[in-house]
Amino acid sequence: MKRIIFFLGKGGVGKTTSSAALSYALSDKDHTVYWMSIDPAHNISDITKTPLKTKTNIYKNLFAEEIDIDKYLKKFLHQTTQRMKETYKYLQIINLEHMFDILKHSPGMEEYATMYALKDKIEENSDFEYIVVDTPPTGLMLKIFTLPFSSKMWIEKLIKWRKMIISKRAAIANIKPDAIDKDLAIAEEDDKVLKELGFQKEYVDFLINILLDREQTRIAIVLNEDKMSLNESKLIVEGLEQLSIKYDFIILNKEGLMGKNDEIKTAFKDKPILSVPFIRDATNIESLIKIGERFLNLVI
Amino acid sequence: MLKGFLNNLKYFWEGFKDQSTSALEMELSELENTFGLVVFGSLMGLPSPPTFVGMALLPYLEYEIKLMIIKSEDLDDKLATFFDLSDI
């Protein structure tokens, strides 16, 4: 993978259209492109007019997919249920699947599943030159971006704590072997908790590295000329700054409809602002390519 | 007589080992208990790691959960715990 490009912005500003324009334009220049949507309310198939439940070739070397976040959530819950059944034998009689189903709605689970899906899909499609990501609106997207950073803090603390427990167990077992159950007095590399924490750390590190990689990653913020989308874009920039993530350019979509873009030019004066006119038919590939060509030099 | 002496030495040695590990064992059980409390802290309103971290660890923390339950049962008898700790 040469580059991964994220499109962020308020709902309805044209993230999908902009990501479509770039994907088609890159593909038209004979690059291999994987265009995915991680928005639970997908709409890239509205542009392609083909179902995108699986990775589908839609144009030259352009493949598109709408990621089924729910599927990832179910997969995670199913794996946990199986492991629970293997460890806690007496749970065989209880319908764990049903109990875990409720956890689907726990806070943070949707963000987690999206993070899990994002890592999985980036790895699976790393042989493409470009990966273009259409994201959910601001609120959810900032949570998804924050999750790897906040989880990393917890995971690192837990790893340290666990290592202390393992070393204390070993010390006691060394002096008085009977005092510790032999299943507990094990080496760090055999401890399943530590192994699982290592797994989780790998996940979050992978995404943190991608988000902070100034060479490989490009982040575009899409907005319109109205006050609300400008304010929300400022919130995105603040949210990203807190995580030390830098954005690369602004796409001023539907330019000319309201004609009030002076404030926008002042607010984002240190980054390139690309103006894109309102397009009546976002399904027209030729007009999408024409628009996408304007972003190419910032991405290639 | 020598046998008796050796036996006494053995008991002395065992007692010595018991004493040397009891403080460590106490510290370990507190570490294990709090590890469980931190992972599943959300159950009682403590700040806790994201739900998925707790869920991913849940299958492997049977021992720590049992320990947490035993410790929480003893919470209302702090005096006994203190006497136990002080070896009174």
Side-chain angles (χ1 to χ4, degrees):
Chain A
M1 177 177 61
K2 191 174 166 197
R3 203 142 280 159
I4 176 161
I5 308 108
F6 292 91
F7 284 84
L8 314 185
K10 186 178 173 292
V13 290
K15 291 185 295 293
T16 307
T17 315
S18 307
S19 65
L22 177 67
S23 305
Y24 278 105
L26 282 168
S27 170
D28 200 53
K29 293 273 181 278
D30 295 324
H31 294 291
T32 55
V33 186
Y34 174 66
W35 172 35
M36 67 164 145
S37 160
I38 52 167
D39 186 351
H42 300 291
N43 43 20
I44 66 173
S45 57
D46 294 340
I47 289 183
T48 63
K49 291 182 188 160
T50 36
L52 298 170
K53 288 205 181 307
T54 54
K55 186 162 74 179
T56 312
N57 188 196
I58 50 166
Y59 181 75
K60 289 189 174 177
N61 287 325
L62 169 60
F63 287 76
E65 186 174 5
E66 290 178 336
I67 313 298
D68 186 352
I69 304 296
D70 209 44
K71 193 183 90 188
Y72 277 89
L73 197 48
K74 279 186 186 145
K75 195 171 143 192
F76 171 67
L77 292 172
H78 179 70
Q79 278 173 355
T80 313
T81 313
Q82 286 312 109
R83 284 185 203 144
M84 288 288 288
K85 281 186 173 170
E86 282 160 23
T87 322
Y88 305 77
K89 298 280 182 223
Y90 52 87
L91 289 176
Q92 299 282 6
I93 44 166
I94 304 172
N95 185 358
L96 268 185
E97 262 92 0
H98 180 66
M99 286 171 69
F100 273 60
D101 241 15
I102 303 162
L103 281 165
K104 243 176 31 182
H105 308 290
S106 281
M109 291 307 276
E110 193 179 11
E111 292 92 299
Y112 172 66
T114 316
M115 188 176 91
Y116 188 31
L118 200 54
K119 185 205 177 238
D120 202 38
K121 288 293 167 188
I122 294 172
E123 273 188 334
E124 193 185 302
N125 296 293
S126 56
D127 51 338
F128 282 87
E129 283 175 86
Y130 294 91
I131 295 181
V132 180
V133 190
D134 182 27
T135 67
T138 315
L140 182 56
M141 197 55 220
L142 281 182
K143 278 188 194 165
I144 294 167
F145 274 19
T146 311
L147 193 60
F149 292 90
S150 59
S151 307
K152 188 184 164 89
M153 270 176 5
W154 278 104
I155 291 168
E156 281 176 347
K157 289 261 180 281
L158 289 174
I159 287 177
K160 220 166 133 187
W161 202 319
R162 191 68 188 173
K163 283 186 175 172
M164 245 154 71
I165 290 177
I166 292 169
S167 86
K168 287 255 176 327
R169 281 175 181 170
I172 296 170
N174 206 13
I175 306 166
K176 221 172 82 182
D178 302 340
I180 296 271
D181 192 315
K182 67 175 179 359
D183 294 335
L184 296 176
I186 48 174
E188 278 184 7
E189 55 271 25
D190 298 323
D191 185 60
K192 286 181 175 169
V193 173
L194 211 50
K195 210 178 268 178
E196 187 58 46
L197 284 168
F199 244 177
Q200 301 287 340
K201 191 172 179 301
E202 235 174 72
Y203 262 85
V204 297
D205 279 343
F206 179 88
L207 286 171
I208 290 174
N209 288 340
I210 291 227
L211 293 174
L212 296 180
D213 188 338
R214 301 293 297 141
E215 270 304 304
Q216 191 174 233
T217 307
R218 292 285 178 271
I219 294 177
I221 300 177
V222 187
L223 74 158
N224 300 152
E225 288 171 332
D226 63 298
K227 191 100 185 152
M228 268 159 63
S229 82
L230 171 64
N231 287 345
E232 199 160 313
S233 304
K234 285 180 183 167
L235 279 179
I236 297 176
V237 175
E238 275 171 33
L240 294 179
E241 264 170 13
Q242 280 174 11
L243 304 171
S244 307
I245 301 173
K246 305 258 187 301
Y247 70 98
D248 296 275
F249 56 98
I250 297 286
I251 295 173
L252 180 56
N253 196 27
K254 303 176 195 169
E255 199 221 11
L257 279 190
M258 295 172 90
K260 288 180 186 169
N261 57 28
D262 287 348
E263 208 181 329
I264 294 169
K265 283 178 181 152
T266 325
F268 305 105
K269 60 178 182 302
D270 53 339
K271 296 283 178 186
I273 301 175
L274 301 167
S275 298
V276 173
F278 175 68
I279 42 169
R280 209 158 285 282
D281 182 13
T283 61
N284 185 311
I285 294 175
E286 277 168 28
S287 32
L288 283 174
I289 291 173
K290 259 188 203 161
I291 289 171
E293 279 171 351
R294 298 178 189 204
F295 318 155
L296 284 182
N297 62 331
L298 289 167
V299 170
I300 287 180
Chain B
M1 191 181 154
L2 185 67
K3 204 179 163 192
F5 173 72
L6 285 175
N7 258 344
N8 280 341
L9 196 64
K10 194 180 146 203
Y11 290 138
F12 171 74
W13 179 241
E14 288 300 320
F16 178 66
K17 278 207 296 190
D18 271 350
Q19 257 191 353
S20 64
T21 56
S22 63
L24 264 178
E25 281 173 57
M26 181 60 70
E27 197 186 335
L28 173 65
S29 78
E30 283 309 322
L31 270 176
E32 289 165 335
N33 179 32
T34 38
F35 186 83
L37 282 174
V38 168
V39 174
F40 305 113
S42 56
L43 297 177
M44 60 201 94
L46 287 174
S48 60
T51 317
F52 69 88
V53 176
M55 278 192 63
L57 297 183
L58 188 59
Y60 311 118
L61 288 175
E62 188 181 20
Y63 174 77
E64 284 77 2
I65 294 169
K66 277 185 188 162
L67 189 76
M68 270 163 65
I69 294 168
I70 294 167
K71 291 243 179 206
S72 66
E73 278 171 359
D74 291 344
L75 275 180
D76 56 350
D77 204 356
K78 278 302 199 197
L79 196 61
T81 316
F82 171 74
F83 282 134
D84 185 34
L85 268 172
S86 331
D87 229 358
I88 298 171

